[in-house]
Amino acid sequence: AVQAQNSPPAEPGTIQGIVTRAGTTEPLPGAQVTLQGGAADPQALQVLLNTAASQGIVVTPAPGASTSDIIQAMADAAAARGFPLTVANLQSQLASLSGKTPPTTTSDRDGVFWFKDVAAGSYTVRVQKEGFFGKPEGGVYQPTAAIDVRVLPKETANANLSMALGAIVAGRIYDANGQVMSNANVQIFTVAYAFGHSVLAPLVAKVTDDRGEYRLFWVPPGDYYLAVTPRPPAPTPGVPASTLTVKTFYPGATDIGQARMVSIRGGEDMAGMDIGIRNARAFKVSGQISSLIPPPTPTLGAP
């Protein structure tokens, strides 16, 4: 009888790419590049699917679906249910469950990177660098940029990526008397949605120094509200407060309808974003509580 011979493994391939700043050909040296994906451990993938299903994120992989397709389907299902679960999160969890450490490298001075001796298959190349952002997921810019590639035996797959530089927002805060205010909390807010209603979600915060100055670093592209919340004044015994310090939006409004949105496209150094604190008049609210429901019959010993 002739015994079937196992076919030799396919020869490995190579991944080569360049990391640049979005909208330019400027290279990004020193960016950390991670190779994720490839043939996943079936048991680890099933554990990840079961864990997601226990949280209401149910995905049924189609026959022949690749690991990257399954991960993307899980991320889409999570986003539909309002869970902040990105592709990067899921890939990291899968690697941890598989007991694998994804290979990493660093882009050189020309922004170039290489992964050699890569087994044939589908992969995700992910890059990160402080102060830079990739494309948004669920309306939120991610701290990484990624691209999917397919590696063929003895061939080189190209994986060029770009990242947008975050902005710097800076200025000075003044109190209601025009004096610089220290220890005031300055925040960048994005508009988020919860249960069908829009809410302000803080993104970056900084406390002013002794000169009333602040600098918010690496704000991703987007449209935001800039606001300051002063420290509450020390109460004076026996003296009721006639005014109240409240959140003041840029350029100087307590009503968000009169606030000016701050638009960031990437890489700006936005100095001079000064805000003057506004006071709101304090009021006293009083009333009487009544009920049409009769009180219960008192019982012995009951309060």
Side-chain angles (χ1 to χ4, degrees):
V2 179
Q3 295 182 348
Q5 299 292 324
N6 293 328
S7 59
E11 294 190 38
T14 302
I15 297 176
Q16 182 265 337
I18 303 176
V19 186
T20 57
R21 178 175 169 180
T24 72
T25 57
E26 177 186 341
L28 284 186
Q32 179 179 316
V33 189
T34 304
L35 183 61
Q36 299 175 318
D41 180 353
Q43 292 183 345
L45 183 58
Q46 190 60 53
V47 169
L48 186 62
L49 286 166
N50 293 342
T51 302
S54 67
Q55 301 177 18
I57 306 171
V58 180
V59 172
T60 303
S66 66
T67 302
S68 59
D69 291 338
I70 297 173
I71 291 294
Q72 185 63 59
M74 294 176 68
D76 293 342
R81 291 184 57 84
F83 287 95
L85 203 58
T86 64
V87 171
N89 298 144
L90 292 166
Q91 287 177 328
S92 296
Q93 291 184 38
L94 182 59
S96 178
L97 291 170
S98 303
K100 297 180 180 178
T101 301
T104 61
T105 188
T106 304
S107 60
D108 63 18
R109 64 181 183 179
D110 297 319
V112 177
F113 66 89
W114 293 83
F115 287 103
K116 299 181 179 180
D117 298 326
V118 180
S122 298
Y123 294 86
T124 298
V125 179
R126 190 171 301 278
V127 60
Q128 65 180 38
K129 184 177 175 65
E130 183 181 7
F132 288 82
F133 298 87
K135 295 180 180 179
E137 288 187 32
V140 179
Y141 277 81
Q142 299 301 308
T144 65
I147 186 172
D148 293 331
V149 297
R150 180 162 184 80
V151 177
L152 299 176
K154 297 190 294 182
E155 294 190 10
T156 298
N158 291 319
N160 298 331
L161 302 107
S162 62
M163 302 193 77
L165 177 62
I168 298 176
V169 180
R172 184 169 286 177
I173 304 302
Y174 299 90
D175 64 16
N177 298 318
Q179 302 298 315
V180 295
M181 174 174 282
S182 62
N183 202 32
N185 189 34
V186 184
Q187 294 173 289
I188 282 278
F189 290 92
T190 183
V191 178
Y193 292 89
F195 304 106
H197 298 281
S198 59
V199 295
L200 291 179
L203 183 69
V204 185
K206 188 73 173 181
V207 175
T208 56
D209 60 17
D210 59 329
R211 295 176 295 182
E213 297 178 347
Y214 72 92
R215 285 176 68 85
L216 300 172
F217 289 93
W218 312 139
V219 182
D223 295 323
Y224 304 98
Y225 287 105
L226 175 65
V228 56
T229 305
R231 63 185 184 279
T236 303
V239 178
S242 58
T243 60
L244 183 68
T245 53
V246 294
K247 185 185 275 87
T248 303
F249 295 93
Y250 177 80
T254 57
D255 182 356
I256 193 172
Q258 299 176 359
R260 185 186 305 168
M261 294 200 78
V262 178
S263 295
I264 293 174
R265 296 297 169 254
E268 298 95 332
D269 189 350
M270 306 179 70
M273 304 292 285
D274 302 343
I275 303 177
I277 294 293
R278 296 291 182 265
N279 287 333
R281 185 180 174 186
F283 295 88
K284 176 182 178 181
V285 179
S286 62
Q288 185 178 15
I289 307 274
S290 61
S291 174
L292 298 178
I293 301 175
T297 303
T299 58
L300 185 62

